[in-house]
Amino acid sequence: MEKAIQEWIVAERSACYELFASLVTREAPFLLHTDVTEAFDAYVATEAGSVLQDSPLADAFHAAQEVAVLGERLYFSIRKAVGDWHYLVIDVEAMECRSISLSGFLSATERVVNVGQDMDARVLNVDLSPFDRGLPRLKDPRSIGKGVEFLNRHLSNHIFEDVGKGDERLFHFLRLHQAQGRPLMINHRIENARALQQVLAQAEALLADASEDAEWSQVGDALAQLGFEPGWGRTAAIMRETMGFLSDVLEAPEPKALAEFLSRIPMIFNIVILSPHGYFGQSGVLGMPDTGGQVVYILDQVRALEREMKRNIHDQGLDIKPEIIVITRLLPDAEGTTCDQPLELIQGTEFAHILRVPFRSESGEIVPEWISRFRIWPYLERFALEAEKEIRARMGGRVDLVIGNYSDGNLVSALLSERLGVVQCTIAHALEKTKYLHSGLYWKQHEAEHHFSCQFTADLIAMNTADFIITSTFQEIAGTRDNVGQYESYASFSMPDLYRVLKGIDVFDPKFNIVSPGVNEDIFFPYSESERRIQLLTDTCMGLIHGEPGEEARGQLRDPDKPLLFTMARLDPVKNVLGFLELYARSDALREQANVLIAGGYVRPDRSQDQAERNQIERMHQLFEEYKLDDQVRWIDMQTDKNRVGELYRCVADSRGLFIQPALFEAFGLTVLESMSSGLPTFATCYGGPREIIEDGISGFHVDPNHPDSVASVLSGFLARVDEDPDHWMQLSQGGIDRVQARYTWSLYAQRLLSLSRIYGFWKHISGIKREATRRYLEMFYELMYKPRAQTIDQG
Ligand code: UDP
Ligand code: LCN
């Protein structure tokens, strides 16, 4: 690319110079993708610039992710496709273009931030690429997020290539499985893979003669003589089928049989889920600081997992009680929630509990108060050790899967799974890195408030120790054509004076799998299912919308029959609730057509304990005053009762209103699923998960929060069209319902997660030695980088 550009520079020197100079003279240290493409498009629209229209510069400028401007030099990072990066520098004075290395580019960005930094200064390079050798990697970007399918193909093609070895590995893996001290599937009588193949044939013949419904109690004695144990299936027919899959795998492995067999192995009975930060509780917590979708996700996930585990155990013909423990922080100052209780049964389950472990100060005292998720890093190691003791006491150390959530839970899951020797799954929910522009490069400015030096280090460690990672969407891993994925942003970045990441994660790693969450269908059902709605709840919600203003509500709607534009979120700046209120306040058309309903934060600022939230609350009051909104906007406190929230969406749908999710960035967006599932037409940010959840114009609409005027006109246009054609509202409403039902359900989620756990469990078993070196490297990174950084946080 650089050669072709250089040829154009020589041929069209003056046009090229003018284009480059237009970037330099902006005097911005960094130019973003849109700045660069817009500058190019604007210039080629001029007469002088038109010669560059179809030049190689067009490709470079349109694919430029970012340009660092250092004096007269423009350093380009170019993303031709997902994970396909190139770097080049254009020297505007010398009119030269050449390609540079990733290190060269990162060094330039560091010098932009640290003016005067020595170009050759030594830095700590973090590079995981040497550890990848010999491990499989996807090639086609379309396969990203379908790691398990790839791994199955790889396993069946390569593991068994080495005649004899793959069989033995599988045999040893099967030997590991036991429950409550009793072996499952095979016992010591079978000594090796060859012997297994022989007895399998005998067992299959034996089962063919038995009645299809015969259970272990009828066929077990004969099978045990051959060396088999329970776990193959509830009935003779299922046992035979499972054995058939194994025979096929041992004879001539192919991906489908291998996947089918692995996903039947009885190996997941005890699961530990980690979610340390925030107020993790079953009621009265949602909307509190750091407490949102993650809590909803985990509670629904646990219920779905328990159901699926019970179903699997039943089908496997076993009689074992599964157990799930969600480990969170014990909060003595619980602010009226149950977060000060050490143990709670999770509603809707038989065997799942929330177990709370306190944070302790350096001197070992229990820390009583809530601590922002940005400041909890120094407490986590001790928390992990204490959690381990609790797990050993409850589960006897017999854990089959550890699932981490968010950066803190993922770090603890890395520490725990290492010590317990079990499969580790991580779920990011929201990686903070992409929420703030250049959060790595400007980490020092963020440090006092956000402590990203700890968080990004923790993220790198957990992503790389994880056996598998699940994400809610594709874009979370690999972004879109124009935007870098959340995980992709960890591939390489720099934190000046701390370290430079040359390879932090690879989006082509088969550990990534998209497993999307669902909604609780008992709570978020369509507004039109009137027989399921409870009048008392409807009345309560109508009171919330139309009642008198007071301590928990501001505004009273003068024209209550107008449709409602509803938004609900934690009052975190990134949710941009204020941006939405302001765009409404400034749009005469919208103010004429509709009222607004906002649920979030506290109307009384003194009730909030979080500074960022208090700032938002105060600004909201200012907007009410400035734009005189009291008779068109109703603002109610955060809603902590889920049933009420479900009914609130439906009441807004009754008004033929809509839901708007205006976040500057939304990692996934459970409110989007909830409102769609309630049959409320949904308008959501085009940055993040909603872009993938909603098919624009079919199951909702995408809006760009950076262009408030266009959001206002999209909303207003929709309302005007619905006025003329009420069917339009109905189409969007149904589109949303259909989309959620087809794509976002918890039962699909649970099936897939458990199946992944078994397959990656097998993969961990056979690839263990190869990964030992990575583990050691990460241990060092933890001790030498993470811990000292965590200790800089004041624990007082
Ligand atoms: N929520 C709520 N009451 C509020 C604000 C939010 O019940 O006042 C719930 C909302 O229904 C959703 C979750 O909190 O289930 C927010 O999840 P989402 O993924 O939209 O955002 P997050 O807060 O996790 O960033
Ligand atoms: C955190 C977020 O910020 C949301 O976007 C997600 O929906 C939620 O977690 C659940 O994964």
Side-chain angles (χ1 to χ4, degrees):
M1 174 182 266
E2 67 286 353
K3 281 205 189 105
I5 294 177
Q6 185 62 42
E7 279 167 19
W8 274 78
I9 291 178
V10 172
E12 296 295 343
R13 195 175 169 84
S14 128
C16 288
Y17 182 81
E18 226 177 315
L19 171 66
F20 303 154
S22 75
L23 298 186
V24 174
T25 50
R26 290 180 173 218
E27 291 188 359
F30 292 101
L31 302 169
L32 304 179
H33 173 69
T34 40
D35 302 326
V36 184
T37 44
E38 277 168 24
F40 183 82
D41 293 343
Y43 184 61
V44 295
T46 66
E47 207 184 318
S50 57
V51 288
L52 302 178
Q53 179 98 46
D54 298 316
S55 70
L57 284 160
D59 299 335
F61 274 64
H62 283 132
Q65 198 55 41
E66 154 173 84
V67 174
V69 187
L70 202 59
E72 295 285 312
R73 289 187 175 171
L74 301 168
Y75 291 85
F76 281 68
S77 69
I78 294 175
R79 181 174 175 260
K80 286 190 179 167
V82 172
D84 183 9
W85 292 83
H86 301 262
Y87 306 92
L88 51 86
V89 56
I90 293 178
D91 185 328
V92 183
E93 215 167 50
M95 289 299 277
E96 260 175 30
C97 171
R98 65 189 162 79
S99 80
I100 50 172
S101 63
L102 166 63
S103 293
F105 175 76
L106 292 177
S107 155
T109 61
E110 288 157 18
R111 279 176 289 133
V112 170
V113 174
N114 268 355
V115 180
Q117 182 188 303
D118 176 3
M119 199 173 153
D120 300 318
R122 271 190 76 81
V123 291
L124 170 63
N125 287 316
V126 178
D127 187 358
L128 283 131
S129 48
F131 303 108
D132 287 352
R133 289 185 200 121
L135 291 176
R137 182 180 185 271
L138 315 170
K139 289 193 191 70
D140 184 348
R142 285 171 307 178
S143 306
I144 291 175
K146 297 180 192 154
V148 80
E149 287 80 2
F150 173 84
L151 200 59
N152 268 324
R153 278 199 303 276
H154 174 85
L155 284 168
S156 47
N157 292 341
H158 299 288
I159 299 297
F160 297 88
E161 238 166 31
D162 247 346
V163 181
K165 274 203 182 156
D167 302 1
E168 283 307 323
R169 287 175 187 144
L170 183 53
F171 169 73
H172 284 292
F173 180 66
L174 290 181
R175 274 204 139 163
L176 294 178
H177 301 301
Q178 47 154 295
Q180 293 155 355
R182 175 172 182 183
L184 295 174
M185 302 193 89
I186 55 175
N187 62 35
H188 62 275
R189 285 174 190 244
I190 305 176
E191 285 177 349
N192 52 38
R194 180 162 262 287
L196 174 61
Q197 211 170 354
Q198 283 162 2
V199 284
L200 272 173
Q202 294 173 35
E204 283 179 72
L206 195 149
L207 289 167
D209 290 339
S211 132
E212 293 226 321
D213 310 328
E215 297 195 2
W216 184 263
S217 54
Q218 290 149 280
V219 293
D221 283 347
L223 289 175
Q225 294 295 321
L226 296 172
F228 291 100
E229 294 286 331
W232 293 90
R234 170 144 302 266
T235 62
I238 306 177
M239 291 179 217
R240 202 170 145 223
E241 198 181 36
T242 312
M243 288 181 176
F245 284 128
L246 179 57
S247 294
D248 289 349
V249 170
L250 294 174
E251 182 62 29
E254 53 95 21
K256 202 164 164 289
L258 182 66
E260 192 62 57
F261 176 67
L262 290 176
S263 66
R264 288 183 178 210
I265 299 180
M267 58 188 274
I268 313 287
F269 305 113
N270 293 333
I271 301 182
V272 169
I273 298 178
L274 289 140
S275 181
H277 74 255
Y279 292 82
F280 195 102
Q282 303 192 66
S283 63
V285 296
L286 292 178
M288 289 177 84
D290 295 349
T291 310
Q294 183 170 322
V295 176
V296 177
Y297 179 118
I298 294 172
L299 291 174
D300 286 346
Q301 170 201 43
V302 165
R303 288 187 266 268
L305 282 176
E306 188 188 273
R307 267 197 304 276
E308 184 63 16
M309 283 160 86
K310 282 183 180 166
R311 202 176 63 82
N312 288 167
I313 291 171
H314 177 269
D315 290 350
Q316 284 152 354
L318 298 172
D319 184 19
I320 294 169
K321 293 181 181 40
E323 183 161 10
I324 304 177
I325 307 180
V326 179
I327 303 187
T328 187
R329 186 191 159 196
L330 182 97
L331 254 168
D333 291 352
E335 302 288 332
T337 68
T338 54
C339 297
D340 54 354
Q341 291 177 17
L343 195 68
E344 243 183 90
L345 178 72
I346 296 181
Q347 289 148 20
T349 72
E350 260 185 286
F351 310 112
H353 290 87
I354 301 173
L355 180 88
R356 297 194 176 89
V357 173
F359 281 175
R360 289 185 189 274
S361 66
E362 272 168 305
S363 56
E365 269 140 48
I366 292 181
V367 179
E369 73 281 356
W370 169 82
I371 294 173
S372 146
R373 70 187 191 279
F374 295 119
R375 305 184 59 82
I376 63 175
W377 307 106
Y379 304 99
L380 295 181
E381 185 171 307
R382 200 164 182 157
F383 176 84
L385 286 172
E386 222 159 300
E388 184 186 334
K389 271 193 225 137
E390 297 281 350
I391 295 167
R392 288 192 189 278
R394 283 192 70 87
M395 292 178 165
R398 168 79 221 187
V399 180
D400 305 304
L401 171 68
V402 173
I403 306 176
N405 293 277
Y406 191 70
S407 308
D408 56 343
N410 288 333
L411 183 71
V412 177
S413 78
L415 299 175
L416 270 175
S417 64
E418 158 66 11
R419 286 183 58 101
L420 297 169
V422 294
V423 179
Q424 177 200 354
C425 162
T426 66
I427 309 175
H429 294 283
L431 290 165
E432 298 292 336
K433 194 158 168 294
T434 31
K435 280 194 196 168
Y436 306 83
L437 189 59
H438 294 131
S439 50
L441 275 174
Y442 290 102
W443 70 275
K444 286 185 196 163
Q445 270 105 308
H446 280 283
E447 200 62 359
E449 189 181 352
H450 293 125
H451 297 282
F452 287 151
S453 68
C454 297
Q455 185 151 7
F456 299 168
T457 308
D459 286 338
L460 283 170
I461 293 170
M463 282 173 198
N464 283 288
T465 55
D467 294 294
F468 68 104
I469 295 176
I470 63 172
T471 70
S472 300
T473 58
F474 175 91
Q475 64 80 35
E476 186 178 338
I477 313 170
T480 59
R481 203 194 53 160
D482 295 334
N483 295 311
V484 177
Q486 294 179 61
Y487 278 98
E488 191 183 6
S489 78
Y490 285 76
S492 63
F493 64 100
S494 192
M495 299 181 91
D497 295 328
L498 208 57
Y499 55 82
R500 191 185 282 169
V501 179
L502 298 180
K503 176 152 179 209
I505 188 77
D506 181 357
V507 294
F508 289 93
D509 193 316
K511 68 167 65 172
F512 284 107
N513 286 280
I514 305 164
V515 188
S516 307
V519 280
N520 185 334
E521 291 138 24
D522 292 334
I523 296 178
F524 302 104
F525 56 85
Y527 74 99
S528 52
E529 295 184 15
S530 31
E531 67 296 346
R532 295 176 71 187
R533 294 177 67 174
I534 299 170
Q535 189 58 43
L536 197 66
L537 266 184
T538 314
D539 295 344
T540 311
C541 289
M542 292 309 274
L544 284 172
I545 302 170
H546 298 291
E548 292 287 317
E551 300 239 310
E552 294 174 7
R554 177 164 186 176
Q556 183 147 39
L557 307 176
R558 184 187 47 202
D559 193 347
D561 294 332
K562 283 185 182 170
L564 286 162
L565 313 182
F566 178 36
T567 192
M568 178 178 65
R570 288 180 290 118
L571 276 196
D572 182 308
V574 83
K575 298 287 183 184
N576 193 31
V577 174
L578 293 173
F580 163 61
L581 183 58
E582 189 157 5
L583 77 82
Y584 170 80
R586 294 160 69 108
S587 161
D588 293 339
L590 271 183
R591 288 182 73 161
E592 184 52 41
Q593 290 166 300
N595 292 318
V596 162
L597 173 66
I598 296 175
Y602 294 101
V603 170
R604 263 183 50 185
D606 57 321
R607 294 189 59 202
S608 167
Q609 355 152 26
D610 184 34
Q611 187 55 47
E613 187 183 57
R614 267 198 306 277
N615 295 344
Q616 295 274 301
I617 294 171
E618 270 149 21
R619 181 76 190 122
M620 190 103 89
H621 284 296
Q622 280 169 8
L623 288 177
F624 265 81
E625 301 300 329
E626 198 177 322
Y627 291 99
K628 305 206 174 2
L629 294 172
D630 278 284
D631 55 5
Q632 289 182 290
V633 178
R634 173 78 167 180
W635 170 25
I636 53 177
D637 273 7
M638 64 172 84
Q639 293 303 305
T640 54
D641 180 322
K642 276 263 109 195
N643 287 309
R644 222 189 250 188
V645 167
E647 187 58 21
L648 210 48
Y649 287 111
R650 289 187 287 270
C651 288
V652 177
D654 292 338
S655 84
R656 289 296 178 268
L658 54 87
F659 185 77
I660 163 107
Q661 211 288 9
L664 299 173
F665 181 80
E666 184 61 61
F668 181 68
L670 286 177
T671 53
V672 173
L673 285 194
E674 293 166 357
S675 89
M676 288 164 72
S677 188
S678 312
L680 189 55
T682 304
F683 292 68
T685 179
C686 59
Y687 298 110
R691 187 188 172 106
E692 216 165 301
I693 302 172
I694 291 175
E695 310 133 293
D696 195 27
I698 300 171
S699 41
F701 293 94
H702 300 151
V703 291
D704 185 344
N706 295 325
H707 295 103
D709 292 343
S710 93
V711 179
S713 82
V714 170
L715 297 176
S716 170
F718 175 76
L719 292 168
R721 177 153 173 207
V722 167
D723 239 3
E724 285 181 5
D725 172 16
D727 276 355
H728 188 54
W729 189 95
M730 299 298 282
Q731 278 156 15
L732 266 297
S733 163
Q734 195 56 45
I737 296 170
D738 294 346
R739 176 79 173 162
V740 175
Q741 283 174 357
R743 292 284 287 266
Y744 300 97
T745 74
W746 280 114
S747 74
L748 282 177
Y749 174 102
Q751 281 166 34
R752 190 153 159 85
L753 178 57
L754 290 175
S755 163
L756 293 181
S757 310
R758 297 185 192 102
I759 294 168
Y760 284 91
F762 177 54
W763 174 234
K764 182 183 179 85
H765 176 75
I766 58 171
S767 63
I769 294 170
K770 283 191 188 141
R771 294 170 36 160
E772 180 78 7
T774 325
R775 203 164 57 72
R776 293 286 176 219
Y777 182 73
L778 294 167
E779 266 173 27
M780 212 169 339
F781 194 40
Y782 174 83
E783 292 294 332
L784 302 179
M785 180 58 66
Y786 174 81
K787 275 173 80 167
R789 290 307 313 164
Q791 275 151 17
T792 62
I793 300 175
D794 177 18
Q795 296 183 47

